[in-house]
Amino acid sequence: MNLPEFVTPLKDDEKFFFECHPGVTCFTNCCHELELSLTPYDVLRLRKATGLHSAKFLDRYVIIEPSEESAFPAYYLTMVDDGKASCVFLNKEGCSVYNHRPGACRTYPMGRAAIRRADGSIFSQFVLLKEKHCKGFLEKIEWTAVKYTVNQQLDSYNKYNDLVAEILQHKQIKNGKKLDKTELSDFNLALYDLDTFKEKLLQGELEGCKKLNEDEKSILDNEETLFKFAVQ
């Protein structure tokens, strides 16, 4: 694996120093001029922060672009046209949606790759992104990948992102399958536009899914449960 010079593999128990807070001179610098890719679970959490219907959230905050590297489109958080391409959720105090911030923001300065094995299990590999401009590495707080994952409440993000890997890394996709317009629309609806998916499910308007009876409607009571159903 050829990694950039500032990226190094990180063992689960390998130690590193890092802390990000308003006292660090580069605080929020990483919230400008970035291509922040959003996973379906990122969108689920950001919707909770904004209170918006998923369709409105996508229309207002997300740029959807075809990907040359994947059969699936890429979903990017829009940036403010302020000359610095600032994150739309950045304010003077920092992140205005901090409790629901995307997984990539939580994971930094680490990165995590998840590979789905043939038996359905997930192999994960952490890396450390030690960029020279980041002064957080001069702080004296010691971490390991496991401890940082817990501290940043990444378990749920990793759990639901790994569920989606069943689709993104499906055998047919690996063998070069291209999605038609209907399949791409279904992917967007079920995983990114969860509110509309829920509405169509209730009305029995989803092809291949019968209208839910009263007992089955319990899956709608919890977004995470609904998300699992959408993946399936």
Side-chain angles (χ1 to χ4, degrees):
M1 183 185 297
N2 294 321
L3 298 173
E5 184 178 351
F6 64 90
V7 180
T8 56
L10 186 66
K11 296 179 182 177
D12 289 359
D13 59 352
E14 188 175 347
K15 296 177 181 179
F16 64 94
F17 292 93
F18 180 81
E19 186 71 3
C20 182
H21 55 81
V24 178
T25 56
C26 61
F27 184 62
T28 74
N29 281 3
C30 57
C31 303
H32 305 278
E33 297 183 357
L34 75 161
E35 290 188 346
L36 183 55
S37 180
L38 297 175
T39 69
Y41 190 70
D42 288 332
V43 172
L44 186 154
R45 292 292 296 268
L46 286 170
R47 280 173 40 246
K48 289 184 178 182
T50 61
L52 290 173
H53 186 284
S54 57
K56 289 185 177 180
F57 180 86
L58 291 173
D59 182 62
R60 186 178 300 180
Y61 292 120
V62 179
I63 298 171
I64 305 175
E65 294 183 349
S67 173
E68 295 181 358
E69 301 175 355
S70 171
F72 302 94
Y75 293 71
Y76 295 106
L77 183 66
T78 187
M79 297 292 143
V80 179
D81 186 14
D82 59 355
K84 297 183 291 184
S86 303
C87 173
V88 70
F89 295 119
L90 181 65
N91 60 27
K92 293 180 180 179
E93 288 72 39
C95 179
S96 64
V97 293
Y98 188 79
N99 290 335
H100 295 288
R101 66 199 184 280
C105 304
R106 292 172 182 268
T107 308
Y108 190 84
M110 298 193 309
R112 177 181 180 266
I115 300 173
R116 188 170 182 266
R117 299 186 177 100
D119 63 2
S121 63
I122 296 291
F123 168 77
S124 63
Q125 171 67 61
F126 290 103
V127 294
L128 189 65
L129 313 173
K130 200 164 185 179
E131 299 173 292
K132 292 181 179 180
H133 63 76
C134 180
K135 306 303 180 185
F137 292 104
L138 302 177
E139 300 295 295
K140 301 302 180 184
I141 306 297
E142 185 179 84
W143 303 101
T144 63
V146 172
K147 288 182 178 179
Y148 197 72
T149 295
V150 173
N151 179 265
Q152 297 296 302
Q153 300 177 342
L154 276 161
D155 285 341
S156 60
Y157 284 78
N158 293 342
K159 174 183 176 181
Y160 291 106
N161 289 341
D162 290 350
L163 278 180
V164 179
E166 183 176 343
I167 299 172
L168 302 182
Q169 300 179 29
H170 192 279
K171 183 179 180 180
Q172 291 185 42
I173 298 298
K174 290 182 177 180
N175 289 337
K177 175 181 172 60
K178 301 298 182 182
L179 304 185
D180 60 33
K181 289 184 178 180
T182 299
E183 290 169 325
L184 287 171
S185 177
D186 289 344
F187 175 80
N188 181 79
L189 173 67
L191 298 187
Y192 283 92
D193 194 359
L194 202 59
D195 288 321
T196 304
F197 177 81
K198 178 179 178 178
E199 292 162 3
K200 288 182 176 291
L201 187 61
L202 270 172
Q203 297 302 320
E205 297 176 356
L206 289 178
E207 186 176 350
C209 291
K210 64 180 179 63
K211 188 175 182 179
L212 299 179
N213 61 40
E214 291 302 317
D215 293 335
E216 293 171 329
K217 287 181 181 179
S218 61
I219 68 171
L220 306 178
D221 296 337
N222 180 277
E223 283 195 320
E224 278 75 12
T225 301
L226 178 61
F227 184 85
K228 290 179 183 178
F229 180 82
V231 172
Q232 293 168 358

